[in-house]
């Protein structure tokens, strides 16, 4: 999707991404843009390549072909033979440090308290002191409504509370872009609400977000742009009003019809 946004305002630009696992081609030439302050929701049936795409954007998976730019710098691009070549490691580290990731499973350190979970990466990766980061971490716990749990261990928290801690932990690294891989799929419905409320709050603050989700209400009400994927392809994309109100493609209509009725 091309538009008139200045290059500086693009946070992520991906072009022609192909990814296979052995003989299984999971991504078949995916292109997308993510603009500053935008919430992009990626929806589609299981096995359509949504999570693989997200993992390719922040180098948890390597691509076979295509290009990915992060804030105007190439993370990866094709060489003259058409194969994907990544930037030098020190350049990649700098680009990837501006992205935070929240997974389906919370991946908190079980032997650390909630506060220690937030302090670990800024201290170890960014070499910040505890004195520097602790006030930031405590404010983030207030933001997600869990300041009173700062000395608790993850095993004492509900799934929804653990996921909100995971969001706060990602935010402690001060990312410019947040990637969410089905962040509510492991949660009961009543716990899903509190996590989505936290994500809605981030969207209201104009955090750039890419969200793979089965939560159609969130995708419809919070997103600026929605991509519908199936079989490793983008079948349809556009404004949520158009995608949910009058989808052009039969595959989109069938998918949404099954979910919303």
């Amino acid at each position: 999707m091309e538009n008139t946004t200045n290059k500086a305002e693009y946070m992520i630009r991906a072009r022609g991404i192909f990814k296979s696992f052995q003989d299984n081609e999971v991504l078949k030439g995916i292109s997308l843009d993510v603009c500053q302050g935008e919430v992009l929701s990626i929806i589609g049936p299981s096995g359509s390549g949504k999570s693989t795409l997200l993992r390719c954007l922040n180098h948890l998976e390597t691509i076979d072909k295509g290009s990915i730019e992060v804030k105007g710098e190439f993370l990866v691009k094709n060489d003259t033979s058409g194969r994907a070549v990544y930037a030098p490691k020190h350049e990649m580290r700098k680009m990837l440090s501006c992205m935070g990731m929240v997974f389906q499973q919370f991946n908190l350190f079980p032997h650390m308290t909630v506060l220690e979970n937030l302090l670990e990466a800024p201290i170890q990766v960014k070499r910040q002191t505890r004195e520097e980061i602790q006030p930031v971490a405590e404010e983030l716990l207030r933001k997600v409504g869990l300041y009173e749990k700062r000395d608790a261990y993850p095993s004492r928290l509900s799934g929804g509370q653990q996921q909100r801690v995971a969001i706060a932990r990602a935010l402690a690294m001060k990312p410019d872009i947040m990637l969410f891989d089905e962040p509510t799929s492991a949660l009961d419905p009543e716990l899903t609400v509190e996590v989505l409320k936290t994500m809605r709050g981030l969207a209201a603050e104009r955090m750039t977000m890419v969200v793979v989700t089965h939560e159609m209400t969130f995708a419809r009400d919070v997103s600026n742009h929605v991509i519908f994927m199936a079989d490793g392809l983008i079948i349809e994309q556009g404004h949520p009003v158009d995608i949910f109100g009058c989808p052009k493609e039969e595959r989109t209509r069938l998918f949404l019809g099954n979910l919303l009725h």
Side-chain angles (χ1 to χ4, degrees), residues 19-57:
K19 172 66 180 176
S20 295
F21 295 101
Q22 284 79 49
D23 296 330
N24 180 24
E25 193 173 45
V26 179
L27 300 177
K28 305 171 182 176
I30 298 289
S31 297
L32 61 83
D33 293 335
V34 184
C35 298
Q36 188 171 9
E38 178 178 58
V39 179
L40 168 65
S41 286
I42 304 174
I43 63 172
S46 296
S48 58
K50 307 183 302 294
S51 293
T52 299
L53 172 60
L54 204 67
R55 293 171 66 84
C56 286
L57 293 180

Side-chain angles (χ1 to χ4, degrees), residues 73-86:
E73 302 293 329
F74 276 103
L75 177 69
V76 56
K77 61 183 175 180
N78 290 334
D79 64 12
T80 53
S81 66
R83 299 289 296 171
V85 176
Y86 280 83

Side-chain angles (χ1 to χ4, degrees), residues 10 19 35 42 51-52 56 60 64 66 75 113 116 148 152 155 172 185 191 197 243 248 250 256:
Y10 286 117
K19 172 66 180 176
C35 298
I42 304 174
S51 293
T52 299
C56 286
L60 290 175
D64 303 322
L75 177 69
T113 66
E116 288 167 344
E148 74 284 358
S155 61
S185 65
L191 301 178
K197 181 182 176 186
I243 296 295
K248 296 185 178 73
E250 179 68 13
L256 294 174

Side-chain angles (χ1 to χ4, degrees), residues 112-119 130 134-135 137-142 144-154 156-157 161 165:
M112 295 183 178
T113 66
V114 164
L115 181 61
E116 288 167 344
N117 263 277
L118 268 68
L119 299 177
R130 188 184 179 100
Q134 184 159 332
E138 290 178 343
E139 187 56 39
L140 286 169
L141 289 173
R142 287 190 184 92
V144 301
L146 289 172
Y147 178 74
E148 74 284 358
K149 300 287 188 182
R150 65 193 180 280
D151 295 322
Y153 286 89
R156 309 299 297 173
L157 305 181
Q161 289 171 330
V165 173

